[in-house]
Amino acid sequence: MTDVSHPIDLAVVGHTNTGKTSLLRTLLRDESFGEVADRPGTTRHVESAQLLAETGQAILVLRDTPGLEDAMGVLDYLDQLSPPQERHEGPDRIRLLLDSPEAAGRFEQECRVLDTVLRTDAALYVIDTRDPVLPKHRDELLLLAACGRPILPVLNFTRAPLADPAAWRDALARLGLHATVDFDTVAPALDGEGQLLDRLALMLDQHAFALQALRTDLAQQRLRRLQDATRLIAELLVDAAALRLPCSQDPTDMAAITLGLRKRTRDREQDCVHALLKRYRFSKATFPHHPLPLEGERWGMDLFNPQALRTFGIQVGKGMATGAMAGATIDVLTGGLSLGAAALLGAAIGGAWQGASQWGKRLVGRLAGNTEMTVDDPVLHLLGLRQLALVRALECRGHAAMRPIDGDLLAQMETPEPASAAEADAPQARDPDEGEAPAPEAPPEPLRRLPPDVQRLLDEARGHPGWSSIGEEPVPDARREALVGAMAQALFAAL
């Protein structure tokens, strides 16, 4: 990262309720910055924050400002203060306004904005592209242009059905503003930050090197987030694949052990969800729990529900699809448990029968008639696919999004709406349930299976019960770390 002795200072301006605070939330990756609500004039004073490189160095200072509400009145008042024959122009004319009695009165809010722009290097003019182009917007831009600072229009909510960014670009071009950037703060493009920095670099050529360095740094941060996310998923899958719970062939014992296996797996999945949210700097409210009686916690459809497997396109056998013990496999060395015996539990045992792979006390226990309960392969695939779907949703979700992510991620992946579809910080007249959710430009193909390399690594993990942190006797092992790293790479490639 280049040395920046003085961070680039940007004012974020625009009409009331166009998404200025939302833009800062998304750029800063901070859901808590400022206040976003479905009412006009939420921001009443100037707030600022720094956009940092990963080293902690401040590159940009972003200043959130109140909304402009009466630019026409300000322009009329300026004509009274400074008639054309007195030739007050540009910043001098604005300073005349700031020194007037109305700066602390009728036009206090507008003067806060103009004073901020005068003190900064450039202004980001945020536009809600769902709004029609009106004379008031022209007045606002004329007022801002008088400050003598570069203005970059930021077209917000461009992916909403009612948006008309083309009309806005045409109107801005007529005012001499040909450089614009599309940046939907609810569902930004993956390279949205980079595009914004590129436009700024064209306008602020003296800061071009610093802005390009920040662009590179942000791309590296995104890469590391993805790498960390896939490692979290790989650790979850290894914990679930290596999990083995010993039990006897008594039906009551097997039923109890199966419930325990399900709970450990669900709880471990929820831990992974929380870790992913934290890594992407979202709160738990972004993806809340959905409690079910007697079933612990789940999101979307329950992990061990056969319909959830079919929804994700995972093929299961008849026993797996109909059994009350769906998702659990009985691993037997000798004798075995027939389907007739499994019927004592109320349903068929789903999944494949597996042979022994370990010796020692496990072998002795099996010869004595004991068995081991493991998580079935289809459930492992469902675990992986659900976490990958969540990562995809977080990747295209802006920190200004207000509506929680729906638990049924796959259903959203198959519709025109992204998994991050959320209620924008828009006026109350806009009901997000009436088609206001943004649509992706090019949604990724839904994931229907894990990569073959992941299945091979899962098979290897099954043979090492000590590799499961949720098992009976976790044992640290360097080989486990190597396998987790290899699986994370395979999952990364799938994204």
Side-chain angles (χ1 to χ4, degrees):
M1 176 60 65
T2 184
D3 176 55
V4 180
S5 56
H6 299 289
I8 304 163
D9 211 336
L10 299 176
V12 181
V13 302
H15 196 72
T16 299
N17 214 40
T18 55
K20 297 181 295 297
T21 301
S22 295
L23 175 64
L24 271 81
R25 284 188 172 187
T26 298
L27 290 176
L28 298 169
R29 306 189 66 80
D30 183 357
E31 292 177 306
S32 64
F33 180 85
E35 182 182 356
V36 172
D38 291 339
R39 62 179 185 273
T42 302
T43 301
R44 308 305 297 182
H45 57 280
V46 177
E47 295 186 69
S48 63
Q50 296 179 330
L51 187 59
L52 306 177
E54 199 165 26
T55 59
Q57 184 180 18
I59 305 300
L60 294 181
V61 174
L62 299 165
R63 301 189 185 277
D64 194 12
T65 64
L68 294 167
E69 295 181 349
D70 191 10
M72 180 184 297
V74 174
L75 289 172
D76 290 342
Y77 183 63
L78 274 173
D79 287 340
Q80 299 174 29
L81 284 176
S82 176
Q85 61 270 22
E86 295 186 13
R87 296 189 178 279
H88 286 98
E89 297 180 352
D92 289 339
R93 196 166 185 237
I94 298 299
R95 292 188 182 96
L96 191 66
L97 169 67
L98 298 178
D99 291 336
S100 72
E102 294 295 349
R106 175 185 172 189
F107 301 123
E108 179 182 10
Q109 187 160 311
E110 282 74 18
C111 287
R112 287 182 184 272
V113 177
L114 297 172
D115 183 56
T116 302
V117 174
L118 284 175
R119 298 172 184 271
T120 55
D121 297 305
L124 302 179
Y125 181 73
V126 182
I127 296 167
D128 186 340
T129 56
R130 298 169 297 185
D131 288 336
V133 181
L134 299 174
K136 66 181 180 181
H137 300 112
R138 176 182 177 276
D139 292 339
E140 290 169 3
L141 288 165
L142 289 174
L143 193 58
L144 292 169
C147 293
R149 301 292 183 268
I151 300 172
L152 176 61
V154 179
L155 305 181
N156 195 9
F157 306 124
T158 54
R159 290 161 64 181
L162 298 180
D164 191 359
W168 275 100
R169 291 192 196 95
D170 182 63
L172 291 166
R174 289 198 297 270
L175 292 173
L177 294 170
H178 299 278
T180 65
V181 63
D182 292 10
F183 194 95
D184 192 304
T185 58
V186 172
L190 291 179
D191 194 35
E193 293 170 317
Q195 294 177 34
L196 189 150
L197 294 174
D198 286 345
R199 297 295 192 280
L200 279 174
L202 291 173
M203 298 172 59
L204 302 172
D205 57 346
Q206 70 274 30
H207 298 295
F209 185 72
L211 290 166
Q212 182 57 46
L214 178 59
R215 191 192 203 287
T216 301
D217 185 90
L218 292 176
Q220 292 173 345
Q221 289 185 41
R222 176 175 179 261
L223 176 63
R224 278 187 280 273
R225 280 194 300 272
L226 279 172
Q227 291 172 335
D228 292 345
T230 51
R231 184 172 183 86
L232 288 170
I233 299 172
E235 289 175 343
L236 163 68
L237 292 176
V238 170
D239 280 343
L243 177 62
R244 289 178 175 268
L245 299 181
C247 65
S248 69
Q249 295 190 24
D250 176 71
T252 302
D253 185 36
M254 293 179 65
I257 294 299
T258 299
L259 290 176
L261 178 137
R262 290 181 177 183
K263 185 178 188 309
R264 293 191 195 203
T265 307
R266 290 192 192 99
D267 289 347
R268 180 64 182 85
E269 182 187 31
Q270 198 61 54
D271 288 343
C272 184
V273 168
H274 291 163
L276 289 172
L277 292 174
K278 182 178 180 181
R279 184 63 183 87
Y280 279 85
R281 299 182 67 178
F282 287 104
S283 67
K284 292 181 180 180
T286 298
F287 197 37
H289 294 185
H290 301 273
L292 282 180
L294 304 179
E295 292 289 349
E297 304 260 351
R298 59 100 172 180
W299 57 273
M301 194 173 292
D302 183 62
L303 178 65
F304 290 90
N305 187 319
Q307 182 57 45
L309 295 162
R310 290 195 291 266
T311 301
F312 267 75
I314 299 174
Q315 299 299 317
V316 294
K318 181 179 180 180
M320 181 69 180
T322 61
M325 307 292 284
T329 293
I330 300 297
D331 197 357
V332 182
L333 174 66
T334 58
L337 190 66
S338 67
L339 290 178
L344 295 175
L345 301 177
I349 301 297
W353 299 86
Q354 301 183 5
S357 59
Q358 298 289 308
W359 296 92
K361 62 182 181 181
R362 294 176 59 215
L363 176 58
V364 173
R366 291 185 179 192
L367 290 173
N370 292 333
T371 61
E372 290 179 320
M373 195 75 68
T374 66
V375 178
D376 237 336
D377 277 347
V379 173
L380 294 178
H381 279 254
L382 180 57
L383 269 176
L385 291 177
R386 295 211 306 191
Q387 302 309 303
L388 291 172
L390 176 57
V391 169
R392 281 186 165 187
L394 296 176
E395 278 284 316
C396 64
R397 179 181 176 88
H399 285 69
M402 298 173 67
R403 182 181 298 170
I405 296 175
D406 191 337
D408 190 356
L409 288 173
L410 182 71
Q412 295 172 4
M413 289 166 60
E414 293 179 326
T415 65
E417 297 178 2
S420 62
E423 181 178 356
D425 57 331
Q428 288 180 332
R430 295 193 176 96
D431 185 353
D433 293 328
E434 295 180 358
E436 285 296 320
E441 297 172 0
E445 287 295 321
L447 293 172
R448 287 291 181 263
R449 60 182 60 85
L450 295 179
D453 284 348
V454 172
Q455 180 60 61
R456 175 181 58 80
L457 295 168
L458 288 175
D459 292 340
E460 182 178 347
R462 280 195 181 281
H464 301 274
W467 288 7
S468 178
S469 68
I470 56 175
E472 296 292 285
E473 299 179 7
V475 179
D477 193 324
R479 293 174 299 169
R480 178 190 187 276
E481 295 306 306
L483 184 140
V484 166
M487 187 180 295
Q489 291 181 6
L491 293 170
F492 181 88
L495 286 172

